[in-house]
Amino acid sequence: MNDDLVDRLRLIRTPRIGPVTHKQLMMRFGSAGDAIAAIPDLARRGRGRPPKVPQPGEVMREIEAVQRLGGHHLVLGQGRYPRLLATLEDAPPVLSVKGNLELLDKPAVAMVGARNASAAACRFARQLAGELGRAGQVVVSGLARGIDSAAHDGSLESGTIGVIAGGLDVVYPPQNEARQADIAERGLLVAEMPPGTEPRARHFPYRNRVIAGLAAGTVVVEAAPKSGSLITARLAGEMGREVMAVPGSPLDPRARGGNRLIKDGATLIENADDVLACLGPLDDRMERVAEDRADAPSTATEDDAASKTVEDLLGPVAVGVDEIVRQSGLPPAQVQLALLELDLADRLDRHAGGRVSLR
């Protein structure tokens, strides 16, 4: 059994440790094993109880479950972990995948849209996905009803990636059972949650960031205002990826979200050539692969003073970590260590956009 994989899974399955905290711990301590050993002291310094780290046997059962499904684990910064996804601040530390791993090496575009999409929109999405696939693009979507399903169907022959909100072995919605099985055999399934996890409402925004993070751009085909598809588009924009939308009739509520995206600056898409022209060459920043590294250690006295300074600057209103670094005058590594201590003591809330607040 891979000890490093076991330790990384133990770390990310620990309560109160999400992808951002996991990454900060890895950068600080260099290995998951050393990070686990440091958790009790970090939580004590943050004046709270340390979270309970799962035992090795618990995550070994998860690893064995993925293997029984015919899947594999991919670790951030190692092997075939998706390079674009790896550039995200909150990239999943570990993914479980099943299917054709070679699809992760090809250029990809995400396609999302309404679950109750019109027949015309589904036909267009299926056709667009097929044309993009024949042009060498892998199509990424979320295995939902409507546009997602049409996008997968249109690109199944050329290459499609289905991102699951729950575990690798959980089918949602149930009517997509055959489609999910086809993608596992001829495309690729990707899941962040452990096997057996039933998707809950809180899981879908995490899934949406993986969809956007795997691709150089996201195309929206029919989306109501405040829909999950618009969340995916917003996340893609925040990642510096291309946001594209197919225009629709102003008389159809399902088109309002996409039309609003175009008003707000998204690229109007009418065919595959429009998508390919919009994607263009990848930005150099997307080519970087995240690497684990340990920051230079500081003394206990310096850390104590830094922790006090950072805590005094925090309050119930969320503020950016960069602003804390600026106002404190401390090195970023010391600020991040102080935030880690508060986080592991269950005294810190992390918000979108790299903001934090004191609980």
Side-chain angles (χ1 to χ4, degrees), residues 32-83:
D34 288 344
I36 290 171
I39 286 175
D41 185 58
L42 289 172
R44 178 188 59 77
R45 289 169 55 83
R47 303 201 306 277
R49 285 187 177 181
K52 184 179 179 182
V53 181
Q55 294 299 311
E58 296 178 56
V59 297
M60 287 175 65
R61 287 191 288 273
E62 176 182 337
I63 294 171
E64 291 165 356
V66 170
Q67 292 175 342
R68 284 195 300 270
L69 292 168
H72 311 271
H73 280 99
L74 300 181
V75 174
L76 177 63
Q78 298 181 7
R80 300 192 89 151
Y81 191 96
R83 59 189 177 85

mmCIF file of all heavy atoms in Angstrom, residues 32-83:
data_model
loop_
_atom_site.group_PDB
_atom_site.id
_atom_site.type_symbol
_atom_site.label_atom_id
_atom_site.label_comp_id
_atom_site.label_asym_id
_atom_site.label_seq_id
_atom_site.Cartn_x
_atom_site.Cartn_y
_atom_site.Cartn_z
ATOM 1 N N ALA A 32 2.472 14.631 4.021
ATOM 2 C CA ALA A 32 1.218 14.479 4.745
ATOM 3 C C ALA A 32 1.453 13.865 6.121
ATOM 4 O O ALA A 32 0.782 14.217 7.094
ATOM 5 C CB ALA A 32 0.245 13.614 3.942
ATOM 6 N N GLY A 33 2.414 12.953 6.211
ATOM 7 C CA GLY A 33 2.704 12.331 7.497
ATOM 8 C C GLY A 33 3.175 13.345 8.524
ATOM 9 O O GLY A 33 2.728 13.344 9.677
ATOM 10 N N ASP A 34 4.079 14.233 8.106
ATOM 11 C CA ASP A 34 4.565 15.264 9.022
ATOM 12 C C ASP A 34 3.448 16.253 9.372
ATOM 13 O O ASP A 34 3.392 16.758 10.502
ATOM 14 C CB ASP A 34 5.742 16.007 8.395
ATOM 15 C CG ASP A 34 7.015 15.163 8.352
ATOM 16 O OD1 ASP A 34 7.070 14.144 9.071
ATOM 17 O OD2 ASP A 34 7.932 15.515 7.590
ATOM 18 N N ALA A 35 2.573 16.545 8.404
ATOM 19 C CA ALA A 35 1.461 17.454 8.676
ATOM 20 C C ALA A 35 0.512 16.857 9.706
ATOM 21 O O ALA A 35 0.052 17.554 10.622
ATOM 22 C CB ALA A 35 0.711 17.755 7.385
ATOM 23 N N ILE A 36 0.225 15.565 9.589
ATOM 24 C CA ILE A 36 -0.650 14.896 10.551
ATOM 25 C C ILE A 36 -0.045 14.958 11.949
ATOM 26 O O ILE A 36 -0.736 15.237 12.934
ATOM 27 C CB ILE A 36 -0.892 13.433 10.117
ATOM 28 C CG1 ILE A 36 -1.776 13.401 8.868
ATOM 29 C CG2 ILE A 36 -1.533 12.623 11.247
ATOM 30 C CD1 ILE A 36 -1.901 12.028 8.231
ATOM 31 N N ALA A 37 1.263 14.730 12.018
ATOM 32 C CA ALA A 37 1.933 14.771 13.323
ATOM 33 C C ALA A 37 1.884 16.164 13.940
ATOM 34 O O ALA A 37 1.887 16.308 15.170
ATOM 35 C CB ALA A 37 3.385 14.316 13.166
ATOM 36 N N ALA A 38 1.813 17.191 13.109
ATOM 37 C CA ALA A 38 1.837 18.570 13.604
ATOM 38 C C ALA A 38 0.455 19.092 13.999
ATOM 39 O O ALA A 38 0.359 20.127 14.664
ATOM 40 C CB ALA A 38 2.436 19.489 12.536
ATOM 41 N N ILE A 39 -0.614 18.408 13.601
ATOM 42 C CA ILE A 39 -1.969 18.924 13.826
ATOM 43 C C ILE A 39 -2.273 19.201 15.296
ATOM 44 O O ILE A 39 -2.805 20.278 15.622
ATOM 45 C CB ILE A 39 -3.012 17.966 13.205
ATOM 46 C CG1 ILE A 39 -3.003 18.114 11.687
ATOM 47 C CG2 ILE A 39 -4.417 18.227 13.759
ATOM 48 C CD1 ILE A 39 -3.895 17.131 10.968
ATOM 49 N N PRO A 40 -1.984 18.299 16.235
ATOM 50 C CA PRO A 40 -2.316 18.593 17.635
ATOM 51 C C PRO A 40 -1.671 19.879 18.151
ATOM 52 O O PRO A 40 -2.325 20.679 18.828
ATOM 53 C CB PRO A 40 -1.792 17.358 18.384
ATOM 54 C CG PRO A 40 -1.827 16.264 17.366
ATOM 55 C CD PRO A 40 -1.446 16.926 16.082
ATOM 56 N N ASP A 41 -0.400 20.090 17.823
ATOM 57 C CA ASP A 41 0.277 21.298 18.307
ATOM 58 C C ASP A 41 -0.275 22.551 17.632
ATOM 59 O O ASP A 41 -0.444 23.590 18.277
ATOM 60 C CB ASP A 41 1.780 21.183 18.045
ATOM 61 C CG ASP A 41 2.550 22.367 18.630
ATOM 62 O OD1 ASP A 41 2.444 22.583 19.853
ATOM 63 O OD2 ASP A 41 3.217 23.078 17.853
ATOM 64 N N LEU A 42 -0.581 22.460 16.350
ATOM 65 C CA LEU A 42 -1.146 23.609 15.641
ATOM 66 C C LEU A 42 -2.497 24.000 16.230
ATOM 67 O O LEU A 42 -2.779 25.190 16.432
ATOM 68 C CB LEU A 42 -1.300 23.290 14.150
ATOM 69 C CG LEU A 42 -0.011 23.181 13.334
ATOM 70 C CD1 LEU A 42 -0.322 22.665 11.942
ATOM 71 C CD2 LEU A 42 0.701 24.526 13.257
ATOM 72 N N ALA A 43 -3.337 23.010 16.494
ATOM 73 C CA ALA A 43 -4.648 23.299 17.075
ATOM 74 C C ALA A 43 -4.510 23.876 18.482
ATOM 75 O O ALA A 43 -5.260 24.784 18.871
ATOM 76 C CB ALA A 43 -5.501 22.031 17.096
ATOM 77 N N ARG A 44 -3.542 23.369 19.246
ATOM 78 C CA ARG A 44 -3.320 23.899 20.594
ATOM 79 C C ARG A 44 -2.899 25.361 20.528
ATOM 80 O O ARG A 44 -3.380 26.194 21.302
ATOM 81 C CB ARG A 44 -2.242 23.065 21.295
ATOM 82 C CG ARG A 44 -1.884 23.571 22.703
ATOM 83 C CD ARG A 44 -0.682 22.834 23.260
ATOM 84 N NE ARG A 44 0.490 22.993 22.417
ATOM 85 C CZ ARG A 44 1.245 24.095 22.384
ATOM 86 N NH1 ARG A 44 0.924 25.144 23.130
ATOM 87 N NH2 ARG A 44 2.300 24.146 21.599
ATOM 88 N N ARG A 45 -2.018 25.684 19.576
ATOM 89 C CA ARG A 45 -1.572 27.060 19.427
ATOM 90 C C ARG A 45 -2.716 27.968 18.992
ATOM 91 O O ARG A 45 -2.729 29.160 19.289
ATOM 92 C CB ARG A 45 -0.429 27.128 18.419
ATOM 93 C CG ARG A 45 0.879 26.528 18.946
ATOM 94 C CD ARG A 45 1.894 26.381 17.815
ATOM 95 N NE ARG A 45 2.107 27.652 17.134
ATOM 96 C CZ ARG A 45 2.934 28.599 17.554
ATOM 97 N NH1 ARG A 45 3.625 28.418 18.670
ATOM 98 N NH2 ARG A 45 3.087 29.709 16.874
ATOM 99 N N GLY A 46 -3.689 27.403 18.272
ATOM 100 C CA GLY A 46 -4.864 28.171 17.885
ATOM 101 C C GLY A 46 -5.935 28.201 18.957
ATOM 102 O O GLY A 46 -7.027 28.734 18.732
ATOM 103 N N ARG A 47 -5.638 27.587 20.127
ATOM 104 C CA ARG A 47 -6.520 27.572 21.285
ATOM 105 C C ARG A 47 -7.841 26.837 20.979
ATOM 106 O O ARG A 47 -8.931 27.365 21.190
ATOM 107 C CB ARG A 47 -6.793 28.981 21.811
ATOM 108 C CG ARG A 47 -5.532 29.737 22.174
ATOM 109 C CD ARG A 47 -5.773 30.876 23.141
ATOM 110 N NE ARG A 47 -6.794 31.804 22.695
ATOM 111 C CZ ARG A 47 -6.581 32.799 21.844
ATOM 112 N NH1 ARG A 47 -5.382 32.955 21.313
ATOM 113 N NH2 ARG A 47 -7.548 33.627 21.524
ATOM 114 N N GLY A 48 -7.694 25.618 20.450
ATOM 115 C CA GLY A 48 -8.860 24.794 20.193
ATOM 116 C C GLY A 48 -8.499 23.327 20.230
ATOM 117 O O GLY A 48 -7.328 22.954 20.367
ATOM 118 N N ARG A 49 -9.509 22.470 20.131
ATOM 119 C CA ARG A 49 -9.272 21.026 20.116
ATOM 120 C C ARG A 49 -8.866 20.573 18.724
ATOM 121 O O ARG A 49 -9.452 21.018 17.734
ATOM 122 C CB ARG A 49 -10.540 20.277 20.532
ATOM 123 C CG ARG A 49 -10.837 20.342 22.013
ATOM 124 C CD ARG A 49 -12.008 19.427 22.326
ATOM 125 N NE ARG A 49 -12.297 19.379 23.746
ATOM 126 C CZ ARG A 49 -13.258 18.635 24.275
ATOM 127 N NH1 ARG A 49 -14.031 17.903 23.490
ATOM 128 N NH2 ARG A 49 -13.450 18.646 25.577
ATOM 129 N N PRO A 50 -7.895 19.680 18.630
ATOM 130 C CA PRO A 50 -7.491 19.198 17.308
ATOM 131 C C PRO A 50 -8.572 18.300 16.707
ATOM 132 O O PRO A 50 -9.264 17.568 17.432
ATOM 133 C CB PRO A 50 -6.212 18.398 17.589
ATOM 134 C CG PRO A 50 -6.331 17.982 19.012
ATOM 135 C CD PRO A 50 -7.074 19.094 19.712
ATOM 136 N N PRO A 51 -8.760 18.348 15.396
ATOM 137 C CA PRO A 51 -9.717 17.440 14.755
ATOM 138 C C PRO A 51 -9.209 16.010 14.810
ATOM 139 O O PRO A 51 -8.002 15.770 14.931
ATOM 140 C CB PRO A 51 -9.774 17.951 13.317
ATOM 141 C CG PRO A 51 -8.441 18.596 13.101
ATOM 142 C CD PRO A 51 -8.057 19.192 14.423
ATOM 143 N N LYS A 52 -10.128 15.066 14.724
ATOM 144 C CA LYS A 52 -9.762 13.650 14.773
ATOM 145 C C LYS A 52 -9.342 13.176 13.389
ATOM 146 O O LYS A 52 -10.132 13.208 12.446
ATOM 147 C CB LYS A 52 -10.933 12.818 15.285
ATOM 148 C CG LYS A 52 -10.596 11.344 15.447
ATOM 149 C CD LYS A 52 -11.769 10.554 15.987
ATOM 150 C CE LYS A 52 -11.412 9.074 16.130
ATOM 151 N NZ LYS A 52 -12.572 8.290 16.624
ATOM 152 N N VAL A 53 -8.104 12.753 13.274
ATOM 153 C CA VAL A 53 -7.577 12.260 12.002
ATOM 154 C C VAL A 53 -7.984 10.794 11.826
ATOM 155 O O VAL A 53 -7.812 9.988 12.746
ATOM 156 C CB VAL A 53 -6.045 12.388 11.963
ATOM 157 C CG1 VAL A 53 -5.493 11.890 10.626
ATOM 158 C CG2 VAL A 53 -5.626 13.831 12.207
ATOM 159 N N PRO A 54 -8.540 10.421 10.666
ATOM 160 C CA PRO A 54 -8.904 9.010 10.447
ATOM 161 C C PRO A 54 -7.702 8.091 10.599
ATOM 162 O O PRO A 54 -6.569 8.465 10.284
ATOM 163 C CB PRO A 54 -9.421 9.003 9.007
ATOM 164 C CG PRO A 54 -9.799 10.403 8.718
ATOM 165 C CD PRO A 54 -8.862 11.265 9.507
ATOM 166 N N GLN A 55 -7.953 6.893 11.059
ATOM 167 C CA GLN A 55 -6.898 5.889 11.171
ATOM 168 C C GLN A 55 -6.526 5.350 9.789
ATOM 169 O O GLN A 55 -7.340 5.396 8.862
ATOM 170 C CB GLN A 55 -7.357 4.739 12.066
ATOM 171 C CG GLN A 55 -7.563 5.134 13.519
ATOM 172 C CD GLN A 55 -6.281 5.648 14.151
ATOM 173 O OE1 GLN A 55 -5.224 5.022 14.048
ATOM 174 N NE2 GLN A 55 -6.371 6.815 14.792
ATOM 175 N N PRO A 56 -5.306 4.840 9.634
ATOM 176 C CA PRO A 56 -4.895 4.321 8.316
ATOM 177 C C PRO A 56 -5.869 3.282 7.751
ATOM 178 O O PRO A 56 -6.131 3.268 6.544
ATOM 179 C CB PRO A 56 -3.518 3.708 8.592
ATOM 180 C CG PRO A 56 -2.985 4.499 9.745
ATOM 181 C CD PRO A 56 -4.183 4.815 10.601
ATOM 182 N N GLY A 57 -6.398 2.434 8.615
ATOM 183 C CA GLY A 57 -7.311 1.400 8.134
ATOM 184 C C GLY A 57 -8.555 1.953 7.467
ATOM 185 O O GLY A 57 -9.079 1.355 6.520
ATOM 186 N N GLU A 58 -9.018 3.106 7.939
ATOM 187 C CA GLU A 58 -10.222 3.704 7.365
ATOM 188 C C GLU A 58 -9.995 4.119 5.909
ATOM 189 O O GLU A 58 -10.822 3.854 5.044
ATOM 190 C CB GLU A 58 -10.660 4.915 8.193
ATOM 191 C CG GLU A 58 -11.067 4.591 9.617
ATOM 192 C CD GLU A 58 -11.437 5.835 10.400
ATOM 193 O OE1 GLU A 58 -12.334 6.578 9.935
ATOM 194 O OE2 GLU A 58 -10.821 6.081 11.454
ATOM 195 N N VAL A 59 -8.881 4.781 5.643
ATOM 196 C CA VAL A 59 -8.640 5.224 4.272
ATOM 197 C C VAL A 59 -8.131 4.081 3.395
ATOM 198 O O VAL A 59 -8.314 4.107 2.177
ATOM 199 C CB VAL A 59 -7.662 6.414 4.229
ATOM 200 C CG1 VAL A 59 -8.245 7.605 4.952
ATOM 201 C CG2 VAL A 59 -6.312 6.066 4.793
ATOM 202 N N MET A 60 -7.516 3.073 3.996
ATOM 203 C CA MET A 60 -7.132 1.902 3.205
ATOM 204 C C MET A 60 -8.361 1.208 2.652
ATOM 205 O O MET A 60 -8.354 0.693 1.523
ATOM 206 C CB MET A 60 -6.291 0.952 4.052
ATOM 207 C CG MET A 60 -4.876 1.455 4.324
ATOM 208 S SD MET A 60 -3.920 0.405 5.451
ATOM 209 C CE MET A 60 -3.778 -1.085 4.485
ATOM 210 N N ARG A 61 -9.439 1.207 3.418
ATOM 211 C CA ARG A 61 -10.689 0.627 2.908
ATOM 212 C C ARG A 61 -11.217 1.451 1.734
ATOM 213 O O ARG A 61 -11.784 0.902 0.788
ATOM 214 C CB ARG A 61 -11.726 0.540 4.027
ATOM 215 C CG ARG A 61 -11.443 -0.561 5.044
ATOM 216 C CD ARG A 61 -12.608 -0.796 5.984
ATOM 217 N NE ARG A 61 -12.762 0.288 6.936
ATOM 218 C CZ ARG A 61 -12.129 0.346 8.098
ATOM 219 N NH1 ARG A 61 -11.282 -0.609 8.442
ATOM 220 N NH2 ARG A 61 -12.322 1.358 8.932
ATOM 221 N N GLU A 62 -11.035 2.779 1.797
ATOM 222 C CA GLU A 62 -11.438 3.624 0.664
ATOM 223 C C GLU A 62 -10.607 3.294 -0.574
ATOM 224 O O GLU A 62 -11.143 3.178 -1.686
ATOM 225 C CB GLU A 62 -11.278 5.096 1.019
ATOM 226 C CG GLU A 62 -11.580 6.028 -0.137
ATOM 227 C CD GLU A 62 -11.388 7.500 0.194
ATOM 228 O OE1 GLU A 62 -11.442 7.856 1.387
ATOM 229 O OE2 GLU A 62 -11.187 8.284 -0.756
ATOM 230 N N ILE A 63 -9.308 3.157 -0.399
ATOM 231 C CA ILE A 63 -8.424 2.829 -1.519
ATOM 232 C C ILE A 63 -8.821 1.496 -2.139
ATOM 233 O O ILE A 63 -8.906 1.353 -3.368
ATOM 234 C CB ILE A 63 -6.953 2.807 -1.056
ATOM 235 C CG1 ILE A 63 -6.507 4.212 -0.642
ATOM 236 C CG2 ILE A 63 -6.046 2.262 -2.157
ATOM 237 C CD1 ILE A 63 -5.150 4.254 0.027
ATOM 238 N N GLU A 64 -9.079 0.519 -1.292
ATOM 239 C CA GLU A 64 -9.466 -0.805 -1.790
ATOM 240 C C GLU A 64 -10.813 -0.753 -2.508
ATOM 241 O O GLU A 64 -11.017 -1.456 -3.513
ATOM 242 C CB GLU A 64 -9.517 -1.802 -0.624
ATOM 243 C CG GLU A 64 -8.131 -2.107 -0.047
ATOM 244 C CD GLU A 64 -8.196 -2.785 1.311
ATOM 245 O OE1 GLU A 64 -9.319 -2.953 1.834
ATOM 246 O OE2 GLU A 64 -7.126 -3.130 1.848
ATOM 247 N N ALA A 65 -11.725 0.086 -2.023
ATOM 248 C CA ALA A 65 -13.033 0.216 -2.680
ATOM 249 C C ALA A 65 -12.882 0.785 -4.085
ATOM 250 O O ALA A 65 -13.536 0.321 -5.032
ATOM 251 C CB ALA A 65 -13.954 1.107 -1.846
ATOM 252 N N VAL A 66 -12.026 1.778 -4.247
ATOM 253 C CA VAL A 66 -11.781 2.356 -5.573
ATOM 254 C C VAL A 66 -11.141 1.325 -6.494
ATOM 255 O O VAL A 66 -11.506 1.201 -7.673
ATOM 256 C CB VAL A 66 -10.888 3.614 -5.457
ATOM 257 C CG1 VAL A 66 -10.418 4.082 -6.839
ATOM 258 C CG2 VAL A 66 -11.648 4.736 -4.768
ATOM 259 N N GLN A 67 -10.210 0.558 -5.963
ATOM 260 C CA GLN A 67 -9.557 -0.479 -6.769
ATOM 261 C C GLN A 67 -10.543 -1.549 -7.197
ATOM 262 O O GLN A 67 -10.489 -2.039 -8.334
ATOM 263 C CB GLN A 67 -8.393 -1.096 -5.986
ATOM 264 C CG GLN A 67 -7.230 -0.135 -5.776
ATOM 265 C CD GLN A 67 -6.135 -0.702 -4.897
ATOM 266 O OE1 GLN A 67 -6.339 -1.685 -4.160
ATOM 267 N NE2 GLN A 67 -4.962 -0.093 -4.939
ATOM 268 N N ARG A 68 -11.464 -1.929 -6.323
ATOM 269 C CA ARG A 68 -12.482 -2.932 -6.686
ATOM 270 C C ARG A 68 -13.376 -2.428 -7.811
ATOM 271 O O ARG A 68 -13.882 -3.214 -8.613
ATOM 272 C CB ARG A 68 -13.336 -3.306 -5.471
ATOM 273 C CG ARG A 68 -12.649 -4.225 -4.473
ATOM 274 C CD ARG A 68 -13.651 -4.841 -3.514
ATOM 275 N NE ARG A 68 -14.354 -3.824 -2.749
ATOM 276 C CZ ARG A 68 -13.939 -3.347 -1.580
ATOM 277 N NH1 ARG A 68 -12.801 -3.804 -1.048
ATOM 278 N NH2 ARG A 68 -14.630 -2.431 -0.927
ATOM 279 N N LEU A 69 -13.576 -1.112 -7.865
ATOM 280 C CA LEU A 69 -14.386 -0.525 -8.929
ATOM 281 C C LEU A 69 -13.626 -0.435 -10.249
ATOM 282 O O LEU A 69 -14.201 -0.062 -11.274
ATOM 283 C CB LEU A 69 -14.839 0.880 -8.521
ATOM 284 C CG LEU A 69 -15.838 0.974 -7.365
ATOM 285 C CD1 LEU A 69 -15.956 2.423 -6.892
ATOM 286 C CD2 LEU A 69 -17.206 0.453 -7.809
ATOM 287 N N GLY A 70 -12.336 -0.776 -10.214
ATOM 288 C CA GLY A 70 -11.507 -0.647 -11.411
ATOM 289 C C GLY A 70 -10.955 0.750 -11.578
ATOM 290 O O GLY A 70 -10.533 1.133 -12.681
ATOM 291 N N GLY A 71 -10.938 1.532 -10.494
ATOM 292 C CA GLY A 71 -10.484 2.905 -10.552
ATOM 293 C C GLY A 71 -9.104 3.107 -9.959
ATOM 294 O O GLY A 71 -8.451 2.160 -9.506
ATOM 295 N N HIS A 72 -8.667 4.362 -9.957
ATOM 296 C CA HIS A 72 -7.357 4.737 -9.437
ATOM 297 C C HIS A 72 -7.488 6.049 -8.668
ATOM 298 O O HIS A 72 -8.441 6.805 -8.861
ATOM 299 C CB HIS A 72 -6.340 4.941 -10.573
ATOM 300 C CG HIS A 72 -6.286 3.836 -11.565
ATOM 301 N ND1 HIS A 72 -5.466 2.740 -11.419
ATOM 302 C CD2 HIS A 72 -6.961 3.649 -12.721
ATOM 303 C CE1 HIS A 72 -5.631 1.924 -12.448
ATOM 304 N NE2 HIS A 72 -6.529 2.462 -13.252
ATOM 305 N N HIS A 73 -6.500 6.308 -7.836
ATOM 306 C CA HIS A 73 -6.405 7.612 -7.185
ATOM 307 C C HIS A 73 -5.332 8.443 -7.875
ATOM 308 O O HIS A 73 -4.267 7.928 -8.229
ATOM 309 C CB HIS A 73 -6.051 7.463 -5.697
ATOM 310 C CG HIS A 73 -7.213 7.118 -4.828
ATOM 311 N ND1 HIS A 73 -7.480 5.826 -4.413
ATOM 312 C CD2 HIS A 73 -8.200 7.889 -4.301
ATOM 313 C CE1 HIS A 73 -8.564 5.822 -3.669
ATOM 314 N NE2 HIS A 73 -9.019 7.056 -3.579
ATOM 315 N N LEU A 74 -5.622 9.723 -8.068
ATOM 316 C CA LEU A 74 -4.636 10.668 -8.590
ATOM 317 C C LEU A 74 -4.344 11.689 -7.507
ATOM 318 O O LEU A 74 -5.261 12.239 -6.897
ATOM 319 C CB LEU A 74 -5.175 11.375 -9.836
ATOM 320 C CG LEU A 74 -5.556 10.499 -11.029
ATOM 321 C CD1 LEU A 74 -6.038 11.361 -12.184
ATOM 322 C CD2 LEU A 74 -4.378 9.634 -11.470
ATOM 323 N N VAL A 75 -3.063 11.958 -7.277
ATOM 324 C CA VAL A 75 -2.619 12.840 -6.202
ATOM 325 C C VAL A 75 -2.130 14.164 -6.784
ATOM 326 O O VAL A 75 -1.377 14.180 -7.760
ATOM 327 C CB VAL A 75 -1.498 12.168 -5.377
ATOM 328 C CG1 VAL A 75 -0.922 13.132 -4.352
ATOM 329 C CG2 VAL A 75 -2.034 10.914 -4.691
ATOM 330 N N LEU A 76 -2.555 15.260 -6.198
ATOM 331 C CA LEU A 76 -2.164 16.593 -6.639
ATOM 332 C C LEU A 76 -0.647 16.724 -6.720
ATOM 333 O O LEU A 76 0.064 16.412 -5.770
ATOM 334 C CB LEU A 76 -2.722 17.636 -5.661
ATOM 335 C CG LEU A 76 -2.355 19.095 -5.917
ATOM 336 C CD1 LEU A 76 -2.912 19.574 -7.245
ATOM 337 C CD2 LEU A 76 -2.868 19.979 -4.779
ATOM 338 N N GLY A 77 -0.166 17.187 -7.888
ATOM 339 C CA GLY A 77 1.267 17.395 -8.068
ATOM 340 C C GLY A 77 2.034 16.161 -8.468
ATOM 341 O O GLY A 77 3.254 16.221 -8.602
ATOM 342 N N GLN A 78 1.327 15.044 -8.669
ATOM 343 C CA GLN A 78 2.004 13.795 -9.012
ATOM 344 C C GLN A 78 1.352 13.146 -10.231
ATOM 345 O O GLN A 78 0.141 13.269 -10.451
ATOM 346 C CB GLN A 78 1.958 12.805 -7.841
ATOM 347 C CG GLN A 78 2.664 13.267 -6.584
ATOM 348 C CD GLN A 78 2.585 12.236 -5.485
ATOM 349 O OE1 GLN A 78 2.110 11.118 -5.678
ATOM 350 N NE2 GLN A 78 3.044 12.610 -4.298
ATOM 351 N N GLY A 79 2.152 12.417 -11.002
ATOM 352 C CA GLY A 79 1.648 11.555 -12.061
ATOM 353 C C GLY A 79 0.723 12.262 -13.040
ATOM 354 O O GLY A 79 1.026 13.331 -13.559
ATOM 355 N N ARG A 80 -0.464 11.678 -13.264
ATOM 356 C CA ARG A 80 -1.379 12.161 -14.293
ATOM 357 C C ARG A 80 -2.453 13.082 -13.729
ATOM 358 O O ARG A 80 -3.487 13.288 -14.363
ATOM 359 C CB ARG A 80 -2.029 10.975 -15.008
ATOM 360 C CG ARG A 80 -1.027 10.066 -15.685
ATOM 361 C CD ARG A 80 -1.683 9.087 -16.617
ATOM 362 N NE ARG A 80 -1.816 9.647 -17.951
ATOM 363 C CZ ARG A 80 -1.818 8.903 -19.059
ATOM 364 N NH1 ARG A 80 -1.702 7.592 -18.966
ATOM 365 N NH2 ARG A 80 -1.954 9.462 -20.240
ATOM 366 N N TYR A 81 -2.203 13.645 -12.572
ATOM 367 C CA TYR A 81 -3.168 14.596 -12.038
ATOM 368 C C TYR A 81 -3.363 15.713 -13.062
ATOM 369 O O TYR A 81 -2.397 16.246 -13.609
ATOM 370 C CB TYR A 81 -2.673 15.181 -10.720
ATOM 371 C CG TYR A 81 -3.724 15.977 -9.971
ATOM 372 C CD1 TYR A 81 -4.482 15.386 -8.966
ATOM 373 C CD2 TYR A 81 -3.970 17.309 -10.286
ATOM 374 C CE1 TYR A 81 -5.450 16.106 -8.279
ATOM 375 C CE2 TYR A 81 -4.943 18.044 -9.614
ATOM 376 C CZ TYR A 81 -5.675 17.431 -8.615
ATOM 377 O OH TYR A 81 -6.646 18.144 -7.947
ATOM 378 N N PRO A 82 -4.615 16.109 -13.353
ATOM 379 C CA PRO A 82 -4.871 17.105 -14.408
ATOM 380 C C PRO A 82 -4.127 18.418 -14.175
ATOM 381 O O PRO A 82 -4.256 19.038 -13.123
ATOM 382 C CB PRO A 82 -6.391 17.316 -14.316
ATOM 383 C CG PRO A 82 -6.923 16.087 -13.661
ATOM 384 C CD PRO A 82 -5.859 15.632 -12.720
ATOM 385 N N ARG A 83 -3.353 18.851 -15.167
ATOM 386 C CA ARG A 83 -2.459 19.995 -14.985
ATOM 387 C C ARG A 83 -3.216 21.308 -14.806
ATOM 388 O O ARG A 83 -2.781 22.164 -14.027
ATOM 389 C CB ARG A 83 -1.489 20.100 -16.157
ATOM 390 C CG ARG A 83 -2.142 20.264 -17.503
ATOM 391 C CD ARG A 83 -1.135 20.138 -18.652
ATOM 392 N NE ARG A 83 -1.803 20.221 -19.941
ATOM 393 C CZ ARG A 83 -2.090 21.367 -20.551
ATOM 394 N NH1 ARG A 83 -1.764 22.506 -19.977
ATOM 395 N NH2 ARG A 83 -2.700 21.373 -21.720
#
